[in-house]
Amino acid sequence: MKDTLKQQGKRQQLVKIVEAKGIRNEQVLAAIGKIPRHLFIDSGFEGYAYEDKPFPIGADQTISQPYTVARQTELLEVKKGDKIVEIGTGSGYQAAVLIEMGAQVYTIERQKELFKKTSLFLPKIGYRPKKMIFGDGYKGLPEYAPFDGIIVTAGAPFVPKPLMEQLKVGGKLVIPVGEKVQIMTVYTRKSEKEFEKKEYGEFRFVPMLEDKV
Ligand code: SAH
C-alpha cells in the first residue's frame, strides 16, 4: 500500500491540528499519526485525506472528521485489552484507531456494500477487528456482551436500551444523541442500576438508521 513521504508529512500536520483542538491523549494522537487515512477514502480524493474534515465514502455515508474520531476515542478511555463495540463500521477508520489503542474490537455495520468492502479492506492493511458484523447496531451484540466500552459513530435519535444493558460496571457508552445536531454524551455504568451521564458539546453525524437487516 502506497504511503508517500508527502502523505506522512501531511499526516503529522493533521496530528498537530487535532492536538491544537484540544486532544491530549497521546495514544490517540499516535494512532492518528500512524494510520494511513488516505487509503480509507476513494482514490482520486486522497488529496483531502489529511484535512480535518469528514468525507464521503459512498452509499451516502461518511468517514468521520479526525477530530471527532479522536474526541470520541478519548472519551471512551480505552485501555489495552478492552473489549469494545463500535456501531457504524463505515470506512473502518475508527475501528483502526481502536485497534491501535490495543482494544479488541467488535464492529457492526448495517449497509451491506460498506460492510463487504470494509471487511476485505481492513485486514488487507493489517487491521484485524475481533469481529465485523453485518447487522443492526440498535440491538448491540448481546452474544458477546458485556463490554468495557461502546462507541456509536452515527447520530442516534435516542439512546438504545440494549447498549446500556451490554456495558460492564465501570464501562462507558459514547454516543452522539439528537436528530439534526447531536450532543456527544457519555454514560458510565456505576453499578448494575446506576449510570452517570455527561455531555460534551455539539457534533454532526449521519443518522443511525433503524432495522433494514
Ligand atoms: N466509524 C465510521 C464512520 C461511519 S458513518 C468511520 O470511521 O468511517 C456511520 C456509519 O453508521 C455508516 O456507515 C452507517 O451505514 C452506519 N449505521 C447507521 N445506522 C446503523 C445501525 N443501526 N447499525 C449499524 N450501523 C449503522
Side-chain angles (χ1 to χ4, degrees):
M1 296 285 167
K2 205 173 90 187
D3 189 22
T4 63
L5 277 177
K6 189 171 166 199
Q7 282 159 336
Q8 291 167 28
K10 281 192 183 172
R11 194 151 68 235
Q12 296 319 312
Q13 281 175 354
L14 174 62
V15 172
K16 295 238 154 57
I17 291 168
V18 168
E19 195 175 7
K21 289 184 180 173
I23 302 301
R24 291 290 170 266
N25 185 311
E26 290 294 336
Q27 290 157 291
V28 173
L29 294 170
I32 289 179
K34 189 166 169 202
I35 301 169
R37 190 171 187 258
H38 62 278
L39 301 178
F40 291 72
I41 289 175
D42 287 345
S43 54
F45 298 102
E46 296 165 353
Y48 302 97
Y50 295 107
E51 291 183 18
D52 189 27
K53 289 187 182 149
F55 210 78
I57 51 172
D60 269 347
Q61 299 308 328
T62 52
I63 177 170
S64 303
Q65 182 178 347
Y67 168 73
T68 304
V69 172
R71 187 71 180 125
Q72 282 197 278
T73 311
E74 185 170 79
L75 289 171
L76 196 59
E77 294 181 18
V78 186
K79 293 177 300 300
K80 211 169 178 320
D82 275 0
K83 198 167 135 193
I84 307 285
V85 188
E86 175 194 23
I87 315 295
T89 313
S91 69
Y93 183 76
Q94 172 74 70
V97 170
L98 294 169
I99 292 169
E100 283 289 349
M101 311 275 299
Q104 299 180 46
V105 178
Y106 296 74
T107 180
I108 315 176
E109 174 57 55
R110 75 183 280 285
Q111 250 282 341
K112 193 87 194 222
E113 283 164 65
L114 267 177
F115 167 75
K116 282 192 192 155
K117 189 171 154 190
T118 303
S119 310
L120 291 175
F121 167 71
L122 272 183
K124 203 156 82 187
I125 62 162
Y127 289 108
R128 290 183 181 75
K130 197 93 180 146
K131 283 251 179 298
M132 288 193 257
I133 292 127
F134 174 59
D136 176 18
Y138 276 94
K139 302 191 183 89
L141 279 182
E143 60 276 46
Y144 299 104
F147 298 100
D148 297 294
I150 303 179
I151 178 169
V152 178
T153 69
F158 58 90
V159 181
K161 216 164 161 218
L163 301 186
M164 304 281 266
E165 289 165 356
Q166 291 170 28
L167 275 183
K168 283 185 194 169
V169 171
K172 285 181 190 294
L173 166 63
V174 177
I175 181 168
V177 186
E179 305 268 352
K180 275 213 177 84
V181 175
Q182 292 84 33
I183 307 292
M184 191 59 74
T185 310
V186 179
Y187 289 90
T188 306
R189 189 167 204 166
K190 292 293 187 186
S191 69
E192 215 39 53
K193 292 250 158 60
E194 287 165 286
F195 291 84
E196 175 195 78
K197 176 184 174 185
K198 284 193 178 167
E199 295 184 333
Y200 295 90
E202 290 187 358
F203 289 80
R204 278 190 173 72
F205 286 79
V206 295
M208 184 174 178
L209 300 172
E210 278 195 81
D211 255 339
K212 203 172 76 174
V213 277

